[in-house]
Amino acid sequence: MIVIQALSQATTSQNDTVKQQYWLYVSMQKQRNHVSNVRLYPVQLPEQRIDGVTFQPSTKLLRIEE
C-alpha cells in the first residue's frame, strides 16, 4: 500500500510539473506575440545539393523581431 501511495504522489508531482511547464510556455508565447516591431527581409537561396538532393534556387523571408 505504501508503494502505491508513493507512486501516486510521484505521478501527481510529475503532472504538476508538466502543467507548470505548459502554462509557462503559453505565457511566453503571449509575450512573444506582443512584438512592437517586426520586419521581413527577403533572402535569396542559391541552388544547392545536399546529400544527393538538388534544391532549386528560392527566396525565403527572414523575420526580424525587435
Side-chain angles (χ1 to χ4, degrees):
M1 190 64 152
I2 293 173
V3 172
I4 292 173
Q5 288 176 338
L7 287 174
S8 176
Q9 289 174 349
T11 301
T12 301
S13 177
Q14 288 173 341
N15 287 341
D16 290 344
T17 300
V18 170
K19 288 177 187 176
Q20 288 174 349
Q21 289 175 343
Y22 170 79
W23 288 114
L24 177 63
Y25 179 74
V26 168
S27 174
M28 289 171 57
Q29 288 296 317
K30 285 181 182 179
Q31 290 173 0
R32 183 173 176 238
N33 290 335
H34 295 294
V35 176
S36 61
N37 192 10
V38 175
R39 290 180 280 167
L40 299 175
Y41 292 99
V43 176
Q44 300 291 326
L45 300 176
E47 179 178 305
Q48 53 187 326
R49 189 176 179 92
I50 301 173
D51 294 331
V53 177
T54 301
F55 293 89
Q56 297 299 317
S58 61
T59 302
K60 299 294 180 183
L61 294 177
L62 179 63
R63 179 184 171 116
I64 304 294
E65 299 178 2
E66 295 182 283

Short mmCIF file of all heavy atoms in Angstrom, two decimals:
data_model
loop_
_atom_site.label_atom_id
_atom_site.label_comp_id
_atom_site.label_asym_id
_atom_site.label_seq_id
_atom_site.Cartn_x
_atom_site.Cartn_y
_atom_site.Cartn_z
N MET A 1 0.81 -1.18 0.00
CA MET A 1 0.00 0.00 0.00
C MET A 1 0.87 1.26 0.00
O MET A 1 0.54 2.23 -0.66
CB MET A 1 -0.92 -0.02 1.22
CG MET A 1 -1.97 1.04 1.18
SD MET A 1 -3.05 0.75 -0.20
CE MET A 1 -4.52 1.47 0.37
N ILE A 2 1.96 1.25 0.72
CA ILE A 2 2.86 2.40 0.78
C ILE A 2 3.48 2.67 -0.59
O ILE A 2 3.62 3.82 -1.00
CB ILE A 2 3.95 2.18 1.84
CG1 ILE A 2 3.31 2.15 3.23
CG2 ILE A 2 5.00 3.26 1.77
CD1 ILE A 2 4.26 1.78 4.34
N VAL A 3 3.82 1.60 -1.31
CA VAL A 3 4.40 1.76 -2.65
C VAL A 3 3.40 2.42 -3.59
O VAL A 3 3.76 3.31 -4.37
CB VAL A 3 4.87 0.39 -3.20
CG1 VAL A 3 5.29 0.50 -4.65
CG2 VAL A 3 5.97 -0.19 -2.34
N ILE A 4 2.15 2.01 -3.51
CA ILE A 4 1.11 2.58 -4.37
C ILE A 4 0.94 4.07 -4.07
O ILE A 4 0.83 4.90 -4.97
CB ILE A 4 -0.22 1.82 -4.19
CG1 ILE A 4 -0.08 0.40 -4.75
CG2 ILE A 4 -1.35 2.55 -4.91
CD1 ILE A 4 -1.25 -0.50 -4.48
N GLN A 5 0.95 4.43 -2.79
CA GLN A 5 0.81 5.84 -2.42
C GLN A 5 2.01 6.65 -2.92
O GLN A 5 1.85 7.76 -3.41
CB GLN A 5 0.69 5.97 -0.90
CG GLN A 5 -0.65 5.49 -0.36
CD GLN A 5 -0.71 5.53 1.16
OE1 GLN A 5 0.33 5.53 1.82
NE2 GLN A 5 -1.92 5.55 1.70
N ALA A 6 3.19 6.08 -2.79
CA ALA A 6 4.40 6.77 -3.24
C ALA A 6 4.35 6.99 -4.75
O ALA A 6 4.70 8.06 -5.25
CB ALA A 6 5.64 5.99 -2.85
N LEU A 7 3.93 5.96 -5.50
CA LEU A 7 3.82 6.09 -6.95
C LEU A 7 2.76 7.12 -7.32
O LEU A 7 2.94 7.90 -8.25
CB LEU A 7 3.49 4.74 -7.59
CG LEU A 7 4.62 3.72 -7.62
CD1 LEU A 7 4.11 2.38 -8.15
CD2 LEU A 7 5.76 4.22 -8.47
N SER A 8 1.66 7.12 -6.59
CA SER A 8 0.59 8.08 -6.85
C SER A 8 1.09 9.50 -6.61
O SER A 8 0.81 10.41 -7.40
CB SER A 8 -0.60 7.79 -5.95
OG SER A 8 -1.60 8.76 -6.13
N GLN A 9 1.84 9.73 -5.54
CA GLN A 9 2.38 11.06 -5.25
C GLN A 9 3.39 11.48 -6.30
O GLN A 9 3.43 12.63 -6.72
CB GLN A 9 3.00 11.08 -3.85
CG GLN A 9 1.98 11.00 -2.74
CD GLN A 9 2.63 10.88 -1.36
OE1 GLN A 9 3.83 10.66 -1.26
NE2 GLN A 9 1.82 11.02 -0.33
N ALA A 10 4.22 10.53 -6.74
CA ALA A 10 5.22 10.84 -7.77
C ALA A 10 4.54 11.22 -9.08
O ALA A 10 4.94 12.17 -9.75
CB ALA A 10 6.15 9.65 -7.97
N THR A 11 3.48 10.49 -9.44
CA THR A 11 2.75 10.78 -10.67
C THR A 11 2.08 12.14 -10.58
O THR A 11 2.12 12.93 -11.53
CB THR A 11 1.69 9.68 -10.93
OG1 THR A 11 2.35 8.43 -11.04
CG2 THR A 11 0.93 9.95 -12.22
N THR A 12 1.50 12.44 -9.43
CA THR A 12 0.86 13.75 -9.23
C THR A 12 1.89 14.87 -9.34
O THR A 12 1.65 15.90 -9.97
CB THR A 12 0.15 13.81 -7.86
OG1 THR A 12 -0.83 12.77 -7.80
CG2 THR A 12 -0.51 15.14 -7.64
N SER A 13 3.05 14.65 -8.75
CA SER A 13 4.12 15.65 -8.81
C SER A 13 4.57 15.88 -10.26
O SER A 13 4.79 17.01 -10.68
CB SER A 13 5.30 15.21 -7.95
OG SER A 13 6.35 16.12 -8.06
N GLN A 14 4.70 14.80 -11.02
CA GLN A 14 5.11 14.92 -12.43
C GLN A 14 4.05 15.65 -13.23
O GLN A 14 4.36 16.50 -14.06
CB GLN A 14 5.36 13.54 -13.03
CG GLN A 14 6.61 12.87 -12.53
CD GLN A 14 6.75 11.44 -13.03
OE1 GLN A 14 5.78 10.82 -13.46
NE2 GLN A 14 7.96 10.92 -12.95
N ASN A 15 2.77 15.35 -12.96
CA ASN A 15 1.68 16.02 -13.66
C ASN A 15 1.71 17.52 -13.37
O ASN A 15 1.50 18.33 -14.26
CB ASN A 15 0.33 15.44 -13.26
CG ASN A 15 0.09 14.06 -13.85
OD1 ASN A 15 0.74 13.67 -14.80
ND2 ASN A 15 -0.82 13.32 -13.27
N ASP A 16 1.94 17.87 -12.11
CA ASP A 16 2.00 19.28 -11.73
C ASP A 16 3.15 19.99 -12.44
O ASP A 16 3.01 21.12 -12.91
CB ASP A 16 2.15 19.44 -10.21
CG ASP A 16 0.87 19.05 -9.46
OD1 ASP A 16 -0.19 18.95 -10.11
OD2 ASP A 16 0.96 18.83 -8.24
N THR A 17 4.28 19.32 -12.53
CA THR A 17 5.44 19.89 -13.21
C THR A 17 5.14 20.12 -14.68
O THR A 17 5.46 21.18 -15.23
CB THR A 17 6.67 18.97 -13.05
OG1 THR A 17 6.95 18.82 -11.66
CG2 THR A 17 7.88 19.54 -13.76
N VAL A 18 4.51 19.16 -15.32
CA VAL A 18 4.16 19.30 -16.74
C VAL A 18 3.18 20.45 -16.93
O VAL A 18 3.31 21.25 -17.85
CB VAL A 18 3.57 17.98 -17.28
CG1 VAL A 18 2.96 18.18 -18.67
CG2 VAL A 18 4.63 16.90 -17.33
N LYS A 19 2.21 20.56 -16.04
CA LYS A 19 1.24 21.66 -16.13
C LYS A 19 1.94 23.01 -15.97
O LYS A 19 1.64 23.96 -16.70
CB LYS A 19 0.16 21.51 -15.08
CG LYS A 19 -0.80 20.37 -15.36
CD LYS A 19 -1.80 20.22 -14.23
CE LYS A 19 -2.65 18.99 -14.42
NZ LYS A 19 -3.57 18.79 -13.28
N GLN A 20 2.86 23.11 -15.04
CA GLN A 20 3.59 24.36 -14.83
C GLN A 20 4.40 24.73 -16.08
O GLN A 20 4.42 25.89 -16.50
CB GLN A 20 4.52 24.25 -13.62
CG GLN A 20 3.81 24.24 -12.30
CD GLN A 20 4.76 23.99 -11.14
OE1 GLN A 20 5.91 23.61 -11.33
NE2 GLN A 20 4.26 24.18 -9.93
N GLN A 21 5.06 23.74 -16.66
CA GLN A 21 5.84 23.99 -17.87
C GLN A 21 4.94 24.43 -19.02
O GLN A 21 5.29 25.32 -19.79
CB GLN A 21 6.64 22.75 -18.26
CG GLN A 21 7.77 22.46 -17.31
CD GLN A 21 8.47 21.16 -17.65
OE1 GLN A 21 7.97 20.32 -18.37
NE2 GLN A 21 9.66 20.98 -17.09
N TYR A 22 3.78 23.79 -19.13
CA TYR A 22 2.83 24.15 -20.19
C TYR A 22 2.40 25.61 -20.06
O TYR A 22 2.44 26.37 -21.02
CB TYR A 22 1.61 23.23 -20.16
CG TYR A 22 0.50 23.70 -21.06
CD1 TYR A 22 0.55 23.48 -22.43
CD2 TYR A 22 -0.60 24.40 -20.55
CE1 TYR A 22 -0.46 23.94 -23.27
CE2 TYR A 22 -1.61 24.86 -21.38
CZ TYR A 22 -1.53 24.61 -22.74
OH TYR A 22 -2.52 25.07 -23.56
N TRP A 23 1.97 26.01 -18.86
CA TRP A 23 1.48 27.37 -18.67
C TRP A 23 2.60 28.40 -18.81
O TRP A 23 2.37 29.52 -19.27
CB TRP A 23 0.75 27.52 -17.33
CG TRP A 23 -0.57 26.82 -17.40
CD1 TRP A 23 -0.97 25.71 -16.72
CD2 TRP A 23 -1.68 27.16 -18.27
NE1 TRP A 23 -2.24 25.35 -17.08
CE2 TRP A 23 -2.70 26.22 -18.03
CE3 TRP A 23 -1.89 28.16 -19.20
CZ2 TRP A 23 -3.92 26.27 -18.71
CZ3 TRP A 23 -3.12 28.20 -19.87
CH2 TRP A 23 -4.11 27.26 -19.62
N LEU A 24 3.82 28.04 -18.44
CA LEU A 24 4.96 28.92 -18.66
C LEU A 24 5.16 29.13 -20.17
O LEU A 24 5.38 30.25 -20.64
CB LEU A 24 6.22 28.34 -18.02
CG LEU A 24 7.50 29.13 -18.24
CD1 LEU A 24 7.39 30.52 -17.61
CD2 LEU A 24 8.69 28.39 -17.65
N TYR A 25 5.08 28.05 -20.93
CA TYR A 25 5.22 28.13 -22.38
C TYR A 25 4.12 29.00 -22.99
O TYR A 25 4.39 29.84 -23.85
CB TYR A 25 5.19 26.72 -22.98
CG TYR A 25 5.31 26.69 -24.48
CD1 TYR A 25 6.53 26.94 -25.09
CD2 TYR A 25 4.21 26.44 -25.28
CE1 TYR A 25 6.65 26.93 -26.47
CE2 TYR A 25 4.31 26.44 -26.66
CZ TYR A 25 5.53 26.68 -27.25
OH TYR A 25 5.64 26.68 -28.60
N VAL A 26 2.88 28.83 -22.55
CA VAL A 26 1.77 29.63 -23.05
C VAL A 26 2.02 31.11 -22.75
O VAL A 26 1.81 31.97 -23.60
CB VAL A 26 0.43 29.16 -22.43
CG1 VAL A 26 -0.69 30.15 -22.71
CG2 VAL A 26 0.06 27.78 -22.97
N SER A 27 2.47 31.40 -21.54
CA SER A 27 2.76 32.78 -21.15
C SER A 27 3.86 33.38 -22.03
O SER A 27 3.77 34.53 -22.48
CB SER A 27 3.18 32.83 -19.69
OG SER A 27 3.59 34.10 -19.32
N MET A 28 4.90 32.60 -22.29
CA MET A 28 6.00 33.08 -23.14
C MET A 28 5.51 33.37 -24.55
O MET A 28 5.93 34.34 -25.18
CB MET A 28 7.14 32.06 -23.15
CG MET A 28 7.88 31.97 -21.85
SD MET A 28 9.06 30.60 -21.76
CE MET A 28 10.09 30.90 -23.16
N GLN A 29 4.61 32.52 -25.08
CA GLN A 29 4.07 32.73 -26.42
C GLN A 29 3.25 34.02 -26.48
O GLN A 29 3.33 34.76 -27.45
CB GLN A 29 3.21 31.54 -26.85
CG GLN A 29 4.00 30.30 -27.16
CD GLN A 29 4.92 30.50 -28.35
OE1 GLN A 29 4.53 31.08 -29.35
NE2 GLN A 29 6.13 30.01 -28.25
N LYS A 30 2.46 34.28 -25.44
CA LYS A 30 1.66 35.51 -25.41
C LYS A 30 2.57 36.73 -25.41
O LYS A 30 2.31 37.71 -26.11
CB LYS A 30 0.76 35.52 -24.18
CG LYS A 30 -0.42 34.59 -24.31
CD LYS A 30 -1.29 34.66 -23.07
CE LYS A 30 -2.44 33.69 -23.18
NZ LYS A 30 -3.29 33.71 -21.98
N GLN A 31 3.64 36.69 -24.62
CA GLN A 31 4.57 37.81 -24.57
C GLN A 31 5.26 37.99 -25.92
O GLN A 31 5.47 39.10 -26.38
CB GLN A 31 5.62 37.59 -23.48
CG GLN A 31 5.07 37.70 -22.08
CD GLN A 31 6.10 37.32 -21.03
OE1 GLN A 31 7.23 36.99 -21.36
NE2 GLN A 31 5.68 37.35 -19.78
N ARG A 32 5.59 36.90 -26.54
CA ARG A 32 6.27 36.94 -27.83
C ARG A 32 5.39 37.55 -28.90
O ARG A 32 5.86 38.22 -29.82
CB ARG A 32 6.68 35.53 -28.24
CG ARG A 32 7.46 35.47 -29.53
CD ARG A 32 7.99 34.08 -29.79
NE ARG A 32 8.65 34.07 -31.07
CZ ARG A 32 8.31 33.29 -32.07
NH1 ARG A 32 7.35 32.43 -31.93
NH2 ARG A 32 8.95 33.34 -33.20
N ASN A 33 4.07 37.33 -28.80
CA ASN A 33 3.15 37.85 -29.81
C ASN A 33 2.93 39.35 -29.68
O ASN A 33 2.30 39.95 -30.53
CB ASN A 33 1.81 37.10 -29.73
CG ASN A 33 1.93 35.67 -30.21
OD1 ASN A 33 2.82 35.34 -30.98
ND2 ASN A 33 1.07 34.80 -29.74
N HIS A 34 3.45 39.98 -28.65
CA HIS A 34 3.31 41.42 -28.46
C HIS A 34 4.57 42.15 -28.90
O HIS A 34 5.02 43.07 -28.25
CB HIS A 34 3.01 41.73 -26.98
CG HIS A 34 1.70 41.21 -26.53
ND1 HIS A 34 0.50 41.67 -27.02
CD2 HIS A 34 1.38 40.25 -25.63
CE1 HIS A 34 -0.49 41.03 -26.44
NE2 HIS A 34 0.02 40.15 -25.60
N VAL A 35 5.12 41.73 -30.02
CA VAL A 35 6.34 42.35 -30.55
C VAL A 35 5.99 43.71 -31.13
O VAL A 35 5.01 43.87 -31.85
CB VAL A 35 6.96 41.44 -31.63
CG1 VAL A 35 8.16 42.10 -32.26
CG2 VAL A 35 7.34 40.11 -31.04
N SER A 36 6.79 44.71 -30.80
CA SER A 36 6.48 46.05 -31.25
C SER A 36 6.91 46.31 -32.69
O SER A 36 6.30 47.10 -33.38
CB SER A 36 7.14 47.07 -30.32
OG SER A 36 8.54 46.91 -30.35
N ASN A 37 7.96 45.65 -33.14
CA ASN A 37 8.47 45.93 -34.47
C ASN A 37 8.91 44.63 -35.14
O ASN A 37 9.82 43.96 -34.67
CB ASN A 37 9.64 46.91 -34.38
CG ASN A 37 10.03 47.45 -35.73
OD1 ASN A 37 9.33 47.26 -36.71
ND2 ASN A 37 11.17 48.11 -35.79
N VAL A 38 8.25 44.29 -36.24
CA VAL A 38 8.60 43.09 -36.99
C VAL A 38 8.90 43.50 -38.42
O VAL A 38 8.15 44.25 -39.04
CB VAL A 38 7.43 42.07 -36.98
CG1 VAL A 38 7.75 40.88 -37.86
CG2 VAL A 38 7.13 41.62 -35.56
N ARG A 39 10.03 43.01 -38.93
CA ARG A 39 10.41 43.28 -40.32
C ARG A 39 10.70 41.96 -41.02
O ARG A 39 11.22 41.04 -40.40
CB ARG A 39 11.63 44.17 -40.38
CG ARG A 39 11.33 45.59 -39.91
CD ARG A 39 12.54 46.46 -39.98
NE ARG A 39 13.34 46.16 -38.78
CZ ARG A 39 14.59 46.54 -38.60
NH1 ARG A 39 15.24 47.17 -39.53
NH2 ARG A 39 15.21 46.24 -37.47
N LEU A 40 10.36 41.89 -42.29
CA LEU A 40 10.63 40.71 -43.10
C LEU A 40 11.62 41.09 -44.20
O LEU A 40 11.41 42.06 -44.92
CB LEU A 40 9.35 40.17 -43.73
CG LEU A 40 8.27 39.73 -42.75
CD1 LEU A 40 7.01 39.33 -43.51
CD2 LEU A 40 8.75 38.58 -41.89
N TYR A 41 12.71 40.33 -44.29
CA TYR A 41 13.73 40.57 -45.30
C TYR A 41 13.78 39.38 -46.25
O TYR A 41 13.94 38.24 -45.81
CB TYR A 41 15.11 40.73 -44.66
CG TYR A 41 15.24 41.99 -43.83
CD1 TYR A 41 15.11 41.94 -42.45
CD2 TYR A 41 15.52 43.21 -44.43
CE1 TYR A 41 15.24 43.09 -41.69
CE2 TYR A 41 15.65 44.36 -43.69
CZ TYR A 41 15.51 44.30 -42.31
OH TYR A 41 15.63 45.44 -41.56
N PRO A 42 13.68 39.62 -47.55
CA PRO A 42 13.82 38.52 -48.50
C PRO A 42 15.28 38.06 -48.58
O PRO A 42 16.19 38.88 -48.61
CB PRO A 42 13.34 39.10 -49.82
CG PRO A 42 13.50 40.57 -49.66
CD PRO A 42 13.39 40.88 -48.20
N VAL A 43 15.48 36.76 -48.57
CA VAL A 43 16.82 36.18 -48.66
C VAL A 43 16.83 35.23 -49.85
O VAL A 43 16.00 34.33 -49.94
CB VAL A 43 17.19 35.42 -47.36
CG1 VAL A 43 18.55 34.74 -47.50
CG2 VAL A 43 17.16 36.34 -46.16
N GLN A 44 17.76 35.46 -50.77
CA GLN A 44 17.88 34.60 -51.94
C GLN A 44 18.72 33.37 -51.59
O GLN A 44 19.84 33.50 -51.12
CB GLN A 44 18.57 35.37 -53.07
CG GLN A 44 17.84 36.62 -53.53
CD GLN A 44 16.54 36.28 -54.23
OE1 GLN A 44 16.43 35.27 -54.91
NE2 GLN A 44 15.56 37.14 -54.05
N LEU A 45 18.14 32.20 -51.78
CA LEU A 45 18.88 30.95 -51.55
C LEU A 45 19.28 30.38 -52.89
O LEU A 45 18.43 30.16 -53.77
CB LEU A 45 18.00 29.95 -50.79
CG LEU A 45 17.50 30.41 -49.43
CD1 LEU A 45 16.57 29.37 -48.82
CD2 LEU A 45 18.66 30.68 -48.49
N PRO A 46 20.58 30.12 -53.09
CA PRO A 46 21.04 29.58 -54.38
C PRO A 46 20.69 28.10 -54.51
O PRO A 46 20.33 27.44 -53.54
CB PRO A 46 22.54 29.77 -54.31
CG PRO A 46 22.85 29.69 -52.86
CD PRO A 46 21.67 30.30 -52.15
N GLU A 47 20.83 27.61 -55.72
CA GLU A 47 20.67 26.16 -55.91
C GLU A 47 21.78 25.47 -55.12
O GLU A 47 22.92 25.91 -55.11
CB GLU A 47 20.80 25.81 -57.40
CG GLU A 47 20.67 24.33 -57.66
CD GLU A 47 20.75 23.99 -59.14
OE1 GLU A 47 19.97 24.57 -59.91
OE2 GLU A 47 21.60 23.16 -59.49
N GLN A 48 21.40 24.40 -54.44
CA GLN A 48 22.40 23.67 -53.65
C GLN A 48 22.09 22.19 -53.64
O GLN A 48 20.95 21.78 -53.82
CB GLN A 48 22.47 24.23 -52.24
CG GLN A 48 21.15 24.29 -51.51
CD GLN A 48 21.27 25.01 -50.19
OE1 GLN A 48 22.29 24.90 -49.53
NE2 GLN A 48 20.24 25.73 -49.81
N ARG A 49 23.13 21.42 -53.46
CA ARG A 49 22.99 19.96 -53.43
C ARG A 49 23.39 19.48 -52.04
O ARG A 49 24.52 19.69 -51.59
CB ARG A 49 23.88 19.34 -54.50
CG ARG A 49 23.65 17.87 -54.69
CD ARG A 49 24.53 17.37 -55.86
NE ARG A 49 24.36 15.95 -56.06
CZ ARG A 49 23.47 15.41 -56.88
NH1 ARG A 49 22.72 16.19 -57.63
NH2 ARG A 49 23.36 14.11 -56.99
N ILE A 50 22.44 18.84 -51.36
CA ILE A 50 22.68 18.33 -50.00
C ILE A 50 22.31 16.86 -49.98
O ILE A 50 21.18 16.48 -50.29
CB ILE A 50 21.83 19.11 -48.97
CG1 ILE A 50 22.18 20.60 -49.02
CG2 ILE A 50 22.03 18.54 -47.57
CD1 ILE A 50 21.30 21.48 -48.16
N ASP A 51 23.28 16.03 -49.62
CA ASP A 51 23.08 14.57 -49.54
C ASP A 51 22.45 14.01 -50.81
O ASP A 51 21.55 13.17 -50.77
CB ASP A 51 22.20 14.21 -48.33
CG ASP A 51 22.89 14.51 -47.01
OD1 ASP A 51 24.13 14.46 -46.97
OD2 ASP A 51 22.18 14.80 -46.04
N GLY A 52 22.90 14.50 -51.94
CA GLY A 52 22.43 13.96 -53.21
C GLY A 52 21.12 14.56 -53.70
O GLY A 52 20.62 14.18 -54.75
N VAL A 53 20.55 15.48 -52.94
CA VAL A 53 19.29 16.11 -53.34
C VAL A 53 19.60 17.53 -53.79
O VAL A 53 20.26 18.29 -53.09
CB VAL A 53 18.28 16.14 -52.16
CG1 VAL A 53 17.01 16.87 -52.56
CG2 VAL A 53 17.98 14.73 -51.67
N THR A 54 19.10 17.89 -54.99
CA THR A 54 19.32 19.23 -55.51
C THR A 54 18.12 20.11 -55.16
O THR A 54 16.98 19.78 -55.51
CB THR A 54 19.51 19.20 -57.04
OG1 THR A 54 20.62 18.36 -57.34
CG2 THR A 54 19.76 20.58 -57.60
N PHE A 55 18.39 21.19 -54.46
CA PHE A 55 17.35 22.16 -54.11
C PHE A 55 17.43 23.31 -55.08
O PHE A 55 18.50 23.89 -55.31
CB PHE A 55 17.55 22.65 -52.67
CG PHE A 55 17.32 21.58 -51.64
CD1 PHE A 55 18.36 20.76 -51.23
CD2 PHE A 55 16.06 21.39 -51.09
CE1 PHE A 55 18.15 19.76 -50.28
CE2 PHE A 55 15.84 20.40 -50.14
CZ PHE A 55 16.89 19.58 -49.74
N GLN A 56 16.29 23.68 -55.65
CA GLN A 56 16.22 24.77 -56.62
C GLN A 56 16.41 26.12 -55.90
O GLN A 56 16.12 26.24 -54.71
CB GLN A 56 14.87 24.76 -57.33
CG GLN A 56 14.64 23.51 -58.15
CD GLN A 56 15.68 23.35 -59.25
OE1 GLN A 56 16.03 24.31 -59.93
NE2 GLN A 56 16.17 22.14 -59.42
N PRO A 57 16.89 27.13 -56.63
CA PRO A 57 17.01 28.45 -56.02
C PRO A 57 15.62 28.95 -55.57
O PRO A 57 14.62 28.65 -56.21
CB PRO A 57 17.55 29.33 -57.13
CG PRO A 57 17.76 28.47 -58.31
CD PRO A 57 17.28 27.11 -58.02
N SER A 58 15.59 29.65 -54.47
CA SER A 58 14.31 30.14 -53.97
C SER A 58 14.55 31.39 -53.13
O SER A 58 15.68 31.75 -52.82
CB SER A 58 13.61 29.07 -53.13
OG SER A 58 14.39 28.73 -52.01
N THR A 59 13.46 32.04 -52.78
CA THR A 59 13.51 33.21 -51.91
C THR A 59 12.72 32.89 -50.65
O THR A 59 11.58 32.44 -50.73
CB THR A 59 12.89 34.44 -52.61
OG1 THR A 59 13.60 34.67 -53.82
CG2 THR A 59 12.95 35.66 -51.73
N LYS A 60 13.34 33.11 -49.52
CA LYS A 60 12.68 32.91 -48.21
C LYS A 60 12.65 34.24 -47.49
O LYS A 60 13.46 35.13 -47.74
CB LYS A 60 13.43 31.88 -47.36
CG LYS A 60 13.53 30.50 -47.98
CD LYS A 60 12.17 29.86 -48.07
CE LYS A 60 12.32 28.48 -48.69
NZ LYS A 60 11.05 27.81 -48.88
N LEU A 61 11.70 34.39 -46.56
CA LEU A 61 11.60 35.60 -45.78
C LEU A 61 12.21 35.38 -44.42
O LEU A 61 11.88 34.41 -43.72
CB LEU A 61 10.14 36.04 -45.64
CG LEU A 61 9.46 36.46 -46.94
CD1 LEU A 61 8.01 36.80 -46.67
CD2 LEU A 61 10.18 37.65 -47.54
N LEU A 62 13.11 36.26 -44.04
CA LEU A 62 13.75 36.23 -42.73
C LEU A 62 13.01 37.21 -41.84
O LEU A 62 12.94 38.40 -42.13
CB LEU A 62 15.22 36.62 -42.87
CG LEU A 62 16.04 36.66 -41.58
CD1 LEU A 62 16.10 35.28 -40.94
CD2 LEU A 62 17.43 37.18 -41.86
N ARG A 63 12.43 36.72 -40.73
CA ARG A 63 11.65 37.55 -39.81
C ARG A 63 12.57 38.08 -38.70
O ARG A 63 13.23 37.31 -38.02
CB ARG A 63 10.52 36.72 -39.22
CG ARG A 63 9.66 37.48 -38.24
CD ARG A 63 8.63 36.56 -37.62
NE ARG A 63 7.94 37.19 -36.55
CZ ARG A 63 6.64 37.47 -36.56
NH1 ARG A 63 5.90 37.13 -37.60
NH2 ARG A 63 6.09 38.05 -35.54
N ILE A 64 12.60 39.40 -38.54
CA ILE A 64 13.38 40.04 -37.50
C ILE A 64 12.42 40.72 -36.54
O ILE A 64 11.59 41.54 -36.96
CB ILE A 64 14.36 41.09 -38.09
CG1 ILE A 64 15.27 40.48 -39.14
CG2 ILE A 64 15.16 41.78 -36.99
CD1 ILE A 64 16.24 39.45 -38.61
N GLU A 65 12.51 40.36 -35.26
CA GLU A 65 11.65 40.95 -34.23
C GLU A 65 12.49 41.81 -33.30
O GLU A 65 13.57 41.42 -32.89
CB GLU A 65 10.98 39.86 -33.40
CG GLU A 65 10.09 38.95 -34.19
CD GLU A 65 9.47 37.86 -33.35
OE1 GLU A 65 9.71 37.84 -32.13
OE2 GLU A 65 8.75 37.03 -33.91
N GLU A 66 11.99 42.99 -32.99
CA GLU A 66 12.69 43.87 -32.07
C GLU A 66 11.77 44.23 -30.93
O GLU A 66 10.60 44.37 -31.07
CB GLU A 66 13.16 45.13 -32.76
CG GLU A 66 14.20 44.83 -33.84
CD GLU A 66 14.68 46.09 -34.50
OE1 GLU A 66 13.95 46.64 -35.33
OE2 GLU A 66 15.80 46.51 -34.17
#
